[in-house]
Every structure is written in C-alpha cells, then in structure tokens.
Amino acid sequence: MTEQSAVTVSEVLVERRAGVQLITLNRPHAKNAINENVARAVAAAVDELDADDDLRAGVLTGAGGVFSAGMDLKAFLKGERPSLPGRGLCGITQTPPRKPMIAAVEGWALAGGFEIMLACDLVVAGRGARFGVPEAKRSLVAAGGGALELANRVPRALALEMLLTGDPIDAARAESAGLVNRVVDDGGALDAACELAGRIAANGPLAVAASKRVVLESPGWGQDRWERHAEIVEPVLGSEDAREGATAFAEKRDPVWRGR
C-alpha cells in the first residue's frame, strides 16, 4: 500500500513506502527528459524528504524502462531551464538532499539524467542500463555536475574517457568502476533500490545523516578535520537515539528511533 504525496504532479510521481520516499520521473514518451516542471517537482519532493521525520531515505527512478535522457531540448529552446538558482539541476546537483538518495536505473541515464543520478548517493541498475555524458559530441560541456563530479565517483581516467569521447558505458563497467552499487536483472532495479533504502531507513536517522555529511564534506577539510568530525559526530553519540540503540541491543529488541 502506498500513500500518494501532495507534491505529486503528472510528470513526477511521489509515493511513500514505509519510511522511503519514491520519486518517479513520469515522461516515458519523452524518455523522461527533464523540463522546468519536472525540475521543480523533484526539488519539492526532495524538500519534503528532508523536512519529514517519517521519511528516512529516498529513491529516484524513471518510468517506462528509462531513467532519463537528460534535459528536454524542446523545452530549452522555448526558454525553460531545468535548474534552480543556487540548487542546480532538479534542485539536487548543487545541493543534494541531507538524507540518503538511491537512483534506480533502467535503460539510459544520459547527460542531465546522468548528472541527477550522480547527485544520488547510491545506484542500483538493471543489467541493460547505460550511462553517459555525450555533451562533447555536440560541442557542449556536462555543466550540470558531470564534468565537476564524475572524477569523484570513478577513476580519473574513466571520467576523462566518458567526458571526452561522449561514449556511454554499460552497467557491468559502471559497477566495476564503483559508480554502481548493485547490478540486477533488467526490470528489478526499483525493487532492489527500495529494499536497499528500507535497510537504510531501519537505522538511526541521526547516525545516517551524520555519516553521509562526514563523507561528503570531509574531502575539503584541512588539518582541523578531526575537530570538524567531532562537531558532527559527538551530538549523535550523546543522543537519545544512541542510548536507545544500545538499550535495544541489550534487550534483544528492535530500536524505536525518535531522531533526537
């Protein structure tokens, strides 16, 4: 049973599944190309994810067997921009959600579609999935985060190969490079991603958020990294949830998290 969210629009569907928010790009006729309406709806859904204590993780996917073919060029020519000021493409490439987000990829994740996938923390893909940043083939640059972030997710040589040739890679190569966490049979990416999100959602929300924050922020820290690490970690270690986790373990029961 799913509960439809108030932010649902026809081109972006948003559901709740036991603490997991599912966001579906719903333009299969256009290979889930991203227009301004899609961008604003995804941003609103992500804002809901971070604001709602009952939501612990998110899954982003595309309808119709395709993740996303990127920016809607027809909408672009009409003057639409699928980026939000200060937030980036779909409101997530510059300011990703505080809570974990998993991309469930079937088919193509190209250009802007690939870049919003990069804004996700984990990726589950069908075996037939393909990933690419083809902008250089049109004398463009992957400006939505591809050129900036890809080398942080895969070896530099592979990032350069993808960016300079514009050629896609398959799911097996993406997994071997560390871009994809799990490869499953075609058609199974969404279920596998929701299962993974459910395992995350079962953990202490303060610990999950702090762990993600340390991983994302620490590469820019200097000699004071342990002090900055402590600023994030110590409040979690002293929280009610930390005491509840230890108590539940001792009592051999499931913990009840309160987020404080």
Side-chain angles (χ1 to χ4, degrees), residues 210-232:
S211 297
K212 174 175 175 176
R213 185 179 170 191
V214 169
V215 169
L216 293 185
E217 295 181 13
S218 59
W221 293 347
Q223 293 184 347
D224 64 342
R225 62 187 182 279
W226 281 105
E227 289 79 3
R228 299 180 70 169
H229 174 268
E231 291 174 1
I232 297 172

Side-chain angles (χ1 to χ4, degrees), residues 75-209:
F76 175 78
L77 291 174
K78 294 178 182 178
E80 290 190 23
R81 298 293 185 270
S83 293
L84 277 64
R87 297 185 57 172
L89 192 62
C90 284
I92 62 173
T93 55
Q94 291 183 36
T95 56
R98 178 176 57 84
K99 296 176 183 176
M101 178 72 75
I102 302 172
V105 180
E106 301 279 1
W108 292 97
L110 291 176
F114 180 82
E115 289 170 321
I116 62 171
M117 185 206 79
L118 277 182
C120 297
D121 303 294
L122 306 174
V123 180
V124 176
R127 298 189 193 285
R130 297 292 183 270
F131 308 86
V133 273
E135 282 85 347
K137 292 180 180 291
R138 298 291 181 265
S139 194
L140 299 172
V141 177
L148 187 64
E149 296 293 343
L150 185 53
N152 294 327
R153 298 284 288 271
V154 301
R156 182 171 178 265
L158 177 57
L160 285 170
E161 178 185 335
M162 294 178 67
L163 290 163
L164 301 185
T165 67
D167 294 337
I169 62 172
D170 61 19
R173 191 175 185 193
E175 183 183 32
S176 67
L179 179 63
V180 168
N181 296 83
R182 299 180 183 178
V183 175
V184 298
D185 290 339
D186 289 336
L190 179 56
D191 285 344
C194 287
E195 185 274 334
L196 182 57
R199 290 173 61 189
I200 293 171
N203 293 332
L206 297 178
V208 168

